[in-house]
Amino acid sequence: MANSPEVVTQKYTAKDFTSDQDVRWCPGCGDYSILAQVQRTFPDLIQTNKEKIVWVSGIGCSSRFPYYMNTYGFHGIHGRAAIIATGVKVANPDLSVWVATGDGDLLSIGGNHFIHACRKNVDLKVLLFNNRIYGLTKGQYSPTSEKGKVTKTTPFGSVDYPFNPLSLALGSDATFVARSIDRNPKHMQEMIRRIGQHKGFALLEIFQNCNIFNDGAFELLTEKETKDDHVLVLEHGKPMVFGKNQDKGIKLDGAHPIVVDISNGKYSKDDLWVHDEFSDAPVHAMILAHLDDRPDLPSPIGVFRQVIKETYDEGIKNQIDKIIEKKGKGDLEKVLFGSNTWEVA
Amino acid sequence: MSEIKEKEFRVVTNVTVRFAGDSGDGMQLTGSQFSDTTAWIGNDLNTLPDYPAEIRAPAGTIYGVSGFQLSFGSEDVNTPGDLPDVLVAMNPAALRKNLKELKNGGVLIVNSDAFDQKNLKLANFESNPLEDDSLSGYELHQVPISSLTANALEGLPLSPKEVARCKNFFALGLMYWLYDRPLKNTEDWIKDKFKNKPEYVEANTKALQAGHKFGEMTEIFTTRYKVEAAKLPKGIYRNISGNEATALGFLTASVKSGLPLFLGSYPITPASEILQYLSSYKNFGVKTVQAEDEIAGITSAIGAAFAGNLALTTTSGPGLSLKTEAIGLAVMTELPLVIVNVQRGGPSTGLPTKTEQADLLQAMYGRNGEAPVCVLAARTPRDCFYMAVEASRIALKYMTPVILLTDGYLGNGSEPWRIPHVNELPDISVKFRTDPERFYPYLRNDNLARPWAIPGTPGLEHRIGGLEKADVYGTVNYDPENHDRMVKLRTEKVKRIANDIPDLEVDGDEKGDLLVLGWGGTYGSIKDAVNKARKSGLRVSQAHLRYLNPMPKNTGQVLKNFKKILIPEINLGQLAHLIRSEYLIQVEQLNVVRGLPLKVNDILEKINSLLGGGNGK
Ligand SMILES: Cc1ncc(C[n+]2csc(CCOP(=O)(O)OP(=O)(O)O)c2C)c(N)n1
Ligand code: SF4
């Protein structure tokens, strides 16, 4: 959001972004944390003209989000958040358009819209509340549930493989791909700031605990005793170090990531893979996205990749401007009368 | 050829011509060129392109035959004609497929070169019809079109294949001669079309001229026809198809309302052309999003409507099915949105390139819950323009989705249009809400429309969506009384549009024995049938609904003034169903679902039978 010099307003506070609606998520739901971090971060990110913020969502617990934000909001239909948001953004590129969505909403019924929004690089900021379950419909497995998941509709365990949302986004050429965790407020705030500053299609996957239907799904990544050994915090330009005592690191062996011990003198930080958010090659981010596939590797959080290129909404606007410059503004009378006319006197 | 004999000119008031050939023969082009020239010299006309769903079926097959029929005349022409007076058949398959429709004694022009063993076999002819006497009931002209074209183009640097492709211009030139039309229009078109290929300009122009010359020199044709210009109202005219008229209507609504036009759409026959036309008006600020599917088409448009654009989505049958859920969202969020359905034969993929009117009940009711939308239908190709403007006006004024029904025949068919000046067209004024004082998202005005408060307006931040909202306040609300009130308000809002639309007009006496009531693309056929019946002394009138939900306020009164009501439709009685249930009256039906416009004669026969066998005076 551009800070226009002639408008001197008081800085917004979290309260300015809080609507008068009662928040109705289950007590203990990870969604509360996401809402809180957004409301806390927005005053830094949005210093003027909060009327330009629009939140769009689909259907699901997570998709109630827009009702709780005191901004313009559109609670859509299941799966269509990203494409409704595309319409908003293309119609008025001056708006800052945010999407709140769930794993079912974005990746199951809305999968097609998702990949196309990535591909087109629509300037949207998408917060994916990934709880690996269908919350609102009370606990069926979702396209991010792990294989073998036992739920109401898979009493003997699911037989299908899950989507990896980040790899899907990277494969579809999203220009900003990041991840955070509901139980890590500081990190999430940082990621919200980053996504807010990106121009282009941006996905922030947030591991979100559904304490009613999939409690503990991310326990290893959030519990005090285990989290340091299972989470890798990505920082641009820094070697990939993790572990309770910062004693482990990721080394790249060709295209294969391996965990090495940097405490015993055999390897040092200099041997480790250095994270480059802006890498031209998408393969590095892709390898990072797939660390999750292997239980011996940690789950990365942070910005996986960021690239800058013309956005879809800009492209449409620029094309229109260029054609108007070339042909002049359209003259309706001329178009109606066309070229092949005759007169009846 | 020896001396040129003077040819006789016969004056006729109306002719129906059908061009037929392989889909690769360029029949659609030949037909549309003939139409444009014919319109240009002042005849009234009406066209029916009829092409296969396959893009290039194997040459010579019956299913690969593409046709283009047009009717033109010096008097009002309302339909593309029931049966052709003239058939141009470029090969045996075209003859096989179309001969049964040619009028007895009609003119039959065939490309005799194409009647070889292989093609005859492909068209299931056991013997060559040009050689037996099976065609003796027609005025047969055998013209070796392929070889004459090749002769005319001798010496040009073209491959035999390229030469063969020019034969449709030869046929066109010959038809221009036969019906006394100038070549200029088509010559100009060729020049423009092939501006980067001078050798094609020369070849096609030569073929065109050779065809014309052939008519003059040959002795095969002894008679030429003259069709005088029609007496049309004064003005500047152009020939226009329904799809182009639809596109221009929305462009006009955009200019008139001062709102940028946003179209979200997914290509589908026969609606794609609207997206194609509108994509070319970028210098009007038109934004077209070719979406990943029809759901994306409409939902992106809903987003654009929320953001303050004139939002539009265009589709045909199966696409409308996909948009169903989103139309409900537009009803619930009470946003202005126009949905165009260029109807085609259904169900499912059905007959993609043929016309039908079987989506009326879907447009009326095809959603979950009580989800009223305004439904309009254009009745002629040029009427598509006015109904597109009207659909936009209503959507914006009442904050409601509007479904505009056209159909394959209207969309592809064309007719002359007296072009209106921009200042003759109604103004569409739109006021966004800007005042935060006493702003509530669902506080309605006298028309029951809620305010349009677009993102970017300070102080009006609010949330809308598919969940039921509290009356006035617009917050999520599950209260039973509130839901009951909102369901009724949404319906009442659409009902009140009736206060703002023209009365149903009756063509003919206001009272009589029979009213033929129609809607959509059957207008022309019904009009011709009713005119003929009246000429024979029957007390028949016509009324045609362009507003289907709500219907004009006087509809019930109009119906009461007639002893009988006949509703002809290209479906199994969908309007008949609506009329019966709304007005509790008896209606007669005529239902023919062939994927083609209704035949005037079928309607006339039905009228006659209802009124006692031809003279029920
Ligand atoms: C067209 C349609 N199909 C199905 C549903 C039912 N439905 C609502 S939310 C949902 C899944 C929600 O899961 P997710 O997107 O992961 O969101 P969560 O509730 O977990 O936040 C489903 C299947 C619906 N509302 N609409
Ligand atoms: S069901 Fe799960 S995701 Fe939904 S509100 Fe409750 S805890 Fe949160």
Side-chain angles (χ1 to χ4, degrees):
Chain A
M1 200 94 319
N3 199 347
S4 77
E6 56 280 3
V7 189
V8 186
T9 42
Q10 265 182 320
K11 199 170 177 297
Y12 294 123
T13 64
K15 249 186 110 182
D16 291 310
F17 293 100
T18 309
S19 81
D20 56 2
Q21 292 281 288
D22 295 335
V23 184
R24 296 208 193 164
W25 288 307
C26 307
C29 174
D31 292 357
Y32 282 98
S33 167
I34 304 175
L35 179 63
Q37 305 331 318
V38 168
Q39 287 171 341
R40 259 171 225 159
T41 317
F42 264 35
D44 295 340
L45 206 54
I46 291 128
Q47 279 155 19
T48 60
N49 304 91
K50 87 183 230 298
E51 69 276 4
K52 291 191 180 177
I53 306 294
V54 184
W55 276 92
V56 181
S57 64
I59 297 292
C61 296
S62 40
S63 288
R64 296 296 168 91
F65 193 93
Y67 289 122
Y68 308 137
M69 290 292 297
N70 186 17
T71 64
Y72 283 93
F74 197 116
H75 181 216
I77 43 181
H78 198 27
R80 319 301 167 198
I83 182 68
I84 293 171
T86 300
V88 173
K89 183 69 189 179
V90 170
N92 184 357
D94 213 24
L95 301 171
S96 170
V97 184
W98 296 68
V99 173
T101 181
D103 38 304
D105 196 57
L106 189 73
L107 301 172
S108 190
I109 189 166
N112 198 29
H113 307 309
F114 172 60
I115 56 176
H116 287 279
C118 290
R119 162 180 83 80
K120 292 183 172 181
N121 195 28
V122 188
D123 184 13
L124 303 177
K125 301 154 202 329
V126 180
L127 270 52
L128 165 60
F129 298 38
N130 185 3
N131 54 16
R132 296 190 178 156
I133 198 81
Y134 285 0
L136 193 67
T137 45
K138 303 193 175 169
Q140 302 81 10
Y141 83 120
S142 98
T144 54
S145 300
E146 61 280 11
K147 187 173 184 326
K149 180 95 184 160
V150 174
T151 70
K152 285 179 184 159
T153 50
T154 49
F156 307 106
S158 60
V159 298
D160 39 342
Y161 300 99
F163 259 142
N164 178 326
L166 299 187
S167 131
L168 186 63
L170 289 164
S172 310
D173 289 339
T175 52
F176 181 97
V177 176
R179 179 192 279 157
S180 194
I181 308 186
D182 57 0
R183 296 276 297 276
N184 191 340
K186 282 260 132 37
H187 186 264
M188 204 200 308
Q189 287 173 26
E190 176 54 22
M191 288 302 106
I192 292 166
R193 258 189 288 275
R194 289 291 306 275
I195 196 176
Q197 288 156 355
H198 178 73
K199 203 163 165 42
F201 188 91
L203 176 71
L204 173 58
E205 177 189 31
I206 302 166
F207 287 151
Q208 171 247 326
N209 193 41
C210 167
N211 52 311
I212 304 295
F213 298 112
N214 198 17
D215 196 22
F218 307 102
E219 190 162 57
L220 278 179
L221 314 181
T222 54
E223 292 309 304
K224 219 180 170 146
E225 308 77 60
T226 51
K227 66 178 182 190
D228 292 332
D229 284 331
H230 288 92
V231 176
L232 167 68
V233 183
L234 298 173
E235 284 177 275
H236 177 67
K238 302 240 171 93
M240 295 179 199
V241 178
F242 67 106
K244 216 172 275 168
N245 307 313
Q246 294 286 291
D247 52 355
K248 290 185 266 193
I250 305 284
K251 185 174 153 10
L252 255 195
D253 182 10
H256 300 280
I258 48 173
V259 177
V260 294
D261 191 333
I262 52 171
S263 64
N264 59 11
K266 190 166 175 213
Y267 293 103
S268 77
K269 278 190 182 174
D270 297 340
D271 299 310
L272 299 183
W273 182 7
V274 176
H275 182 47
D276 179 7
E277 289 173 6
F278 309 104
S279 168
D280 280 344
V283 287
H284 291 127
M286 198 60 112
I287 293 169
L288 285 174
H290 282 278
L291 296 194
D292 294 301
D293 300 350
R294 280 175 35 197
D296 59 315
L297 295 174
S299 285
I301 61 172
V303 177
F304 285 55
R305 184 160 192 246
Q306 178 171 24
V307 286
I308 298 295
K309 60 184 182 190
E310 187 184 58
T311 66
Y312 181 62
D313 37 291
E314 259 175 358
I316 291 182
K317 189 179 173 298
N318 292 344
Q319 190 178 50
I320 287 175
D321 291 347
K322 229 185 259 159
I323 292 172
I324 290 178
E325 203 183 290
K326 201 171 128 203
K327 289 197 189 175
K329 247 188 142 23
D331 178 345
L332 181 61
E333 188 97 358
K334 262 199 196 140
V335 171
L336 291 185
F337 281 77
S339 53
N340 217 348
T341 59
W342 69 93
E343 184 166 4
V344 174
Chain B
M1 247 159 274
S2 53
E3 228 167 77
I4 310 166
K5 282 208 189 116
E6 237 349 272
K7 310 271 164 120
E8 180 204 347
F9 257 120
R10 200 184 297 162
V11 177
V12 285
T13 54
N14 184 290
V15 187
T16 298
V17 175
R18 187 182 294 177
F19 295 95
D22 257 332
S23 357
D25 281 346
M27 291 297 98
Q28 299 306 322
L29 175 63
T30 311
S32 56
Q33 280 299 308
F34 193 89
S35 307
D36 282 352
T37 295
T38 291
W40 193 60
I41 62 170
N43 292 136
D44 198 4
L45 72 97
N46 200 294
T47 72
L48 177 67
D50 182 21
Y51 49 91
E54 292 72 24
I55 303 305
R56 287 265 193 285
T61 57
I62 294 173
Y63 56 88
V65 171
S66 169
F68 189 106
Q69 181 166 317
L70 82 154
S71 188
F72 57 100
S74 52
E75 286 165 11
D76 250 11
V77 178
N78 298 307
T79 73
D82 282 4
L83 302 175
D85 303 299
V86 184
L87 172 65
V88 180
M90 299 299 280
N91 67 7
L95 181 69
R96 162 71 75 201
K97 185 163 176 214
N98 291 287
L99 186 65
K100 54 184 179 296
E101 303 254 271
L102 181 61
K103 275 186 195 154
N104 287 334
V107 175
L108 174 60
I109 300 173
V110 297
N111 175 13
S112 53
D113 286 332
F115 282 68
D116 58 17
Q117 279 312 314
K118 183 174 159 234
N119 281 339
L120 286 167
K121 204 165 156 230
L122 279 169
N124 300 328
F125 281 113
E126 272 161 23
S127 67
N128 188 343
L130 306 183
E131 285 162 8
D132 55 34
D133 61 354
S134 59
L135 300 175
S136 59
Y138 307 98
E139 189 187 322
L140 171 68
H141 302 290
Q142 299 190 34
V143 184
I145 294 178
S146 306
S147 46
L148 288 171
T149 305
N151 288 348
L153 305 190
E154 219 173 69
L156 293 185
L158 297 177
S159 69
K161 219 176 171 173
E162 287 170 316
V163 169
R165 244 188 255 140
C166 296
K167 64 179 181 294
N168 60 330
F169 280 102
F170 185 97
L172 181 62
L174 176 57
M175 289 299 285
Y176 279 165
W177 174 81
L178 196 59
Y179 287 95
D180 192 28
R181 293 28 322 232
L183 304 185
K184 180 171 182 318
N185 230 30
T186 297
E187 285 171 348
D188 288 350
W189 181 89
I190 293 172
K191 253 182 238 150
D192 187 59
K193 172 84 187 170
F194 301 109
K195 23 178 195 295
N196 303 323
K197 292 232 166 204
E199 65 277 19
Y200 285 7
V201 173
E202 191 182 355
N204 286 316
T205 309
K206 273 202 163 147
L208 181 75
Q209 290 167 347
H212 194 268
K213 189 103 189 194
F214 176 78
E216 217 162 277
M217 306 293 289
T218 182
E219 290 178 6
I220 304 179
F221 296 96
T222 52
T223 314
R224 298 174 74 181
Y225 299 89
K226 228 187 180 58
V227 183
E228 304 287 353
K231 281 165 230 57
L232 297 169
K234 264 185 12 190
I236 310 278
Y237 282 75
R238 68 187 287 184
N239 192 33
I240 196 151
S241 73
N243 279 343
E244 186 168 16
T246 304
L248 288 179
F250 289 114
L251 187 68
T252 299
S254 163
V255 171
K256 283 277 176 178
S257 63
L259 298 179
L261 183 64
F262 178 101
L263 167 60
S265 184
Y266 188 75
I268 185 168
T269 305
S272 308
E273 283 175 343
I274 304 173
L275 169 61
Q276 290 166 15
Y277 282 121
L278 284 173
S279 310
S280 69
Y281 300 130
K282 288 267 145 41
N283 58 333
F284 286 82
V286 175
K287 292 179 173 173
T288 49
V289 167
Q290 180 175 319
E292 52 272 21
D293 59 28
E294 280 86 351
I295 298 172
I298 186 169
T299 45
S300 63
I302 289 173
F306 180 54
N309 280 10
L310 170 57
L312 170 67
T313 187
T314 51
T315 192
S316 181
L320 189 68
S321 299
L322 283 175
K323 292 178 197 292
T324 299
E325 186 196 10
I327 297 173
L329 177 65
V331 168
M332 204 63 166
T333 51
E334 304 196 35
L335 284 169
L337 172 71
V338 182
I339 302 118
V340 178
N341 178 12
V342 186
Q343 298 165 95
R344 66 189 218 182
S348 188
T349 309
L351 302 173
T353 60
K354 312 285 176 199
T355 198
E356 205 161 285
Q357 329 181 264
D359 299 347
L360 175 58
L361 292 181
Q362 182 185 23
M364 289 288 297
Y365 301 123
R367 290 165 291 284
N368 63 306
E370 293 289 351
V373 303
C374 176
V375 180
L376 309 181
R379 63 184 186 185
T380 63
R382 61 178 176 250
D383 193 40
C384 292
F385 174 83
Y386 299 99
M387 293 319 271
V389 175
E390 184 65 349
S392 311
R393 179 188 75 87
I394 291 173
L396 294 168
K397 181 165 173 183
Y398 293 87
M399 294 289 283
T400 179
V402 176
I403 296 179
L404 171 59
L405 297 172
T406 71
D407 62 42
Y409 156 63
L410 293 176
N412 287 326
S414 65
E415 62 176 348
W417 177 42
R418 193 194 68 78
I419 309 163
H421 287 286
V422 175
N423 56 18
E424 290 170 43
L425 297 164
D427 248 326
I428 303 175
S429 58
V430 173
K431 269 210 193 90
F432 293 127
R433 173 79 189 215
T434 51
D435 184 5
E437 200 58 39
R438 266 188 65 74
F439 166 72
Y440 299 104
Y442 279 79
L443 181 63
R444 297 166 191 280
N445 66 16
D446 294 344
N447 298 322
L448 299 183
R450 68 176 198 87
W452 197 4
I454 62 171
T457 317
L460 300 188
E461 288 90 341
H462 66 284
R463 277 65 56 192
I464 57 173
L467 282 174
E468 183 62 283
K469 297 295 183 294
D471 190 14
V472 181
Y473 300 101
T475 44
V476 176
N477 190 299
Y478 304 120
D479 173 53
E481 299 314 317
N482 178 73
H483 180 56
D484 182 62
R485 191 159 60 244
M486 291 298 270
V487 165
K488 288 172 181 164
L489 274 169
R490 286 187 286 265
T491 302
E492 177 62 20
K493 178 173 82 167
V494 173
K495 275 198 179 142
R496 285 198 193 173
I497 298 171
N499 296 329
D500 196 19
I501 60 175
D503 273 352
L504 178 61
E505 274 177 37
V506 178
D507 178 23
D509 292 340
E510 302 266 333
K511 275 189 170 36
D513 295 332
L514 179 69
L515 177 75
V516 187
L517 179 70
W519 70 278
T522 50
Y523 175 74
S525 306
I526 295 175
K527 187 170 181 184
D528 278 2
V530 167
N531 281 339
K532 283 190 178 162
R534 265 204 301 254
K535 272 195 192 134
S536 73
L538 299 179
R539 298 184 60 215
V540 188
S541 299
Q542 178 187 12
H544 211 75
L545 286 164
R546 297 157 84 213
Y547 298 83
L548 290 142
N549 193 37
M551 289 188 195
K553 281 202 288 197
N554 68 330
T555 305
Q557 198 50 50
V558 166
L559 299 177
K560 276 198 199 114
N561 286 335
F562 292 86
K563 288 188 193 141
K564 286 184 176 171
I565 311 287
L566 167 63
I567 303 184
E569 292 179 85
I570 312 176
N571 62 42
L572 294 184
Q574 302 195 3
L575 177 63
H577 177 88
L578 292 178
I579 293 288
R580 279 195 200 100
S581 68
E582 182 69 28
Y583 300 104
L584 303 175
I585 55 166
Q586 271 290 338
V587 299
E588 304 288 339
Q589 295 180 204
L590 172 68
N591 306 105
V592 187
V593 201
R594 301 164 62 234
L596 291 166
L598 290 181
K599 289 202 162 135
V600 175
N601 209 39
D602 289 353
I603 303 172
L604 189 58
E605 272 177 16
K606 183 75 185 182
I607 293 174
N608 285 334
S609 80
L610 282 174
L611 295 184
N615 47 15
K617 295 171 214 178

